[in-house]
C-alpha cells in the first residue's frame, strides 16, 4: 500500500500495524514502502510489527536461516512493539516438515538477534496443512481466518479477520487484525487493538 497517510490512520483509531519488510518470493528483496511506513507510523505513535514473506523455496532450516539473515539486515537498528514474523503461504503441504524446519530456524535466528519472532499463516491450510504446529509452541502466532475466529489454532496473539477493511488514510481495501496481547506492557489480558497488515492481497481460497 503506497502513500499511506499515517496521521489519518492514527486519527481513525488504529492502534498497531504489521508492515512488510521484504520477502523471498522472487529473490530476496526489501519492500519499497517499508522505510516510509516505518518512519511515518512511528512518528504518529502507532505500534509496529513487521514481517518477511517466505518464497516457495522456504522449505528447510538453511532456507529459514538465509531469509532471517536478510530480514535482519533490513530491520537492523529498528525497534518494534509487535513481533517480527515469517509469513508462510507459498510453500506447499508436500514439504510440511521442511516448512516447519524453516520457520523454526527463521524464528531462532531472529530471536538470537534480539527481536521477538512470530509466525503468520492461515488457520487451516497454513498452520494445519503446511506446518506441524506441535513443534511451534515457542512462537507467537498471527492467524488468518475470515468469517470466524480461528478454530485449529487456539493459542494465538493476533487474528487477521478480514481482507476487506477500509481505513481513513489508505486507498483501497486492507487486511484487518485484532490483537489480544498488549506487547508493550507484557499484559496478556484481553486488550484489543485494531490494526492493519499492509501486505499482499491474499487468495481467499487459502483460508
Amino acid at each position: 500500500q503506497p502513500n499511506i497517510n499515517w496521521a489519518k490512520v492514527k486519527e481513525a483509531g488504529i492502534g498497531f500495524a504489521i508492515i512488510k519488510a521484504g520477502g523471498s518470493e522472487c529473490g530476496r528483496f526489501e519492500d519499497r514502502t517499508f522505510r516510509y511506513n516505518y518512519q511515518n507510523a512511528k512518528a504518529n505513535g502507532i505500534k509496529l510489527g513487521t514481517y518477511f514473506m517466505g518464497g516457495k523455496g522456504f522449505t528447510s532450516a538453511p532456507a529459514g536461516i538465509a531469509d532471517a539473515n536478510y530480514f535482519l539486515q533490513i530491520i537492523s537498528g529498528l525497534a518494534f512493539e509487535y513481533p517480527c514474523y515469517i509469513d508462510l503461504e507459498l510453500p506447499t503441504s508436500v514439504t510440511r516438515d521442511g516448512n516447519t524446519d524453516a520457520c523454526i530456524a527463521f524464528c531462532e535466528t531472529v530471536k538470537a538477534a534480539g527481536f521477538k519472532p512470530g509466525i503468520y499463516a492461515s488457520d487451516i491450510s497454513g498452520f494445519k496443512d503446511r506446518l506441524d504446529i506441535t513443534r511451534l509452541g515457542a512462537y507467537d502466532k498471527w492467524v488468518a481466518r475470515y468469517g470466524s475466529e480461528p478454530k485449529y489454532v487456539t493459542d494465538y496473539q493476533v487474528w487477521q479477520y478480514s481482507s476487506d477493511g477500509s481505513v481513513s488514510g489508505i486507498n483501497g481495501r486492507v487486511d484487518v487484525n485484532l490483537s489480544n496481547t498488549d506487547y508493550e506492557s507484557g499484559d496478556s489480558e484481553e486488550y484489543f487493538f485494531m490494526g492493519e497488515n499492509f501486505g499482499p492481497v491474499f487468495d481467499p481460497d487459502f483460508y
Side-chain angles (χ1 to χ4, degrees):
Q1 297 279 357
N3 304 318
I4 293 172
N5 186 326
W6 285 97
K8 288 187 176 180
V9 172
K10 179 66 174 180
E11 290 172 3
I14 301 303
F16 75 95
I18 304 173
I19 58 176
K20 185 174 184 178
S24 58
E25 305 101 295
C26 50
R28 295 183 181 95
F29 65 93
E30 177 178 331
D31 187 89
R32 63 186 177 85
T33 65
F34 173 66
R35 303 287 167 182
Y36 170 85
N37 286 333
Y38 179 87
Q39 292 166 4
N40 286 275
K42 282 283 188 177
N44 283 281
I46 295 173
K47 298 176 183 180
L48 287 180
T50 186
Y51 73 95
F52 189 89
M53 187 169 188
K56 290 182 179 179
F58 190 81
T59 58
S60 68
I65 292 169
D67 273 11
N69 284 332
Y70 191 89
F71 182 44
L72 290 170
Q73 290 177 28
I74 298 172
I75 65 174
S76 176
L78 305 181
F80 300 93
E81 293 78 24
Y82 276 69
C84 299
Y85 298 91
I86 180 63
D87 178 344
L88 193 287
E89 298 180 61
L90 298 180
T92 71
S93 59
V94 174
T95 53
R96 184 172 184 261
D97 288 341
N99 303 341
T100 307
D101 292 340
C103 284
I104 292 171
F106 181 97
C107 287
E108 289 299 314
T109 303
V110 167
K111 182 179 178 181
F115 294 95
K116 184 173 183 61
I119 301 168
Y120 168 90
S122 74
D123 188 30
I124 302 301
S125 63
F127 281 108
K128 184 174 186 291
D129 295 343
R130 288 173 165 87
L131 293 167
D132 180 357
I133 199 171
T134 65
R135 298 172 57 198
L136 302 175
Y139 312 113
D140 282 19
K141 297 170 185 68
W142 173 21
V143 183
R145 185 178 178 112
Y146 302 162
S148 69
E149 292 185 28
K151 298 291 193 296
Y152 180 74
V153 183
T154 57
D155 182 15
Y156 61 90
Q157 290 69 41
V158 179
W159 168 32
Q160 184 179 99
Y161 63 90
S162 175
S163 62
D164 196 34
S166 177
V167 176
S168 177
I170 305 172
N171 294 324
R173 315 308 292 177
V174 293
D175 301 333
V176 285
N177 305 272
L178 289 173
S179 170
N180 61 16
T181 301
D182 180 356
Y183 281 103
E184 194 168 40
S185 72
D187 184 358
S188 61
E189 295 179 0
E190 290 200 347
Y191 184 79
F192 281 85
F193 296 103
M194 182 176 178
E196 308 306 323
N197 159 29
F198 306 110
V201 178
F202 302 115
D203 179 352
D205 293 336
F206 181 71
Y207 306 95

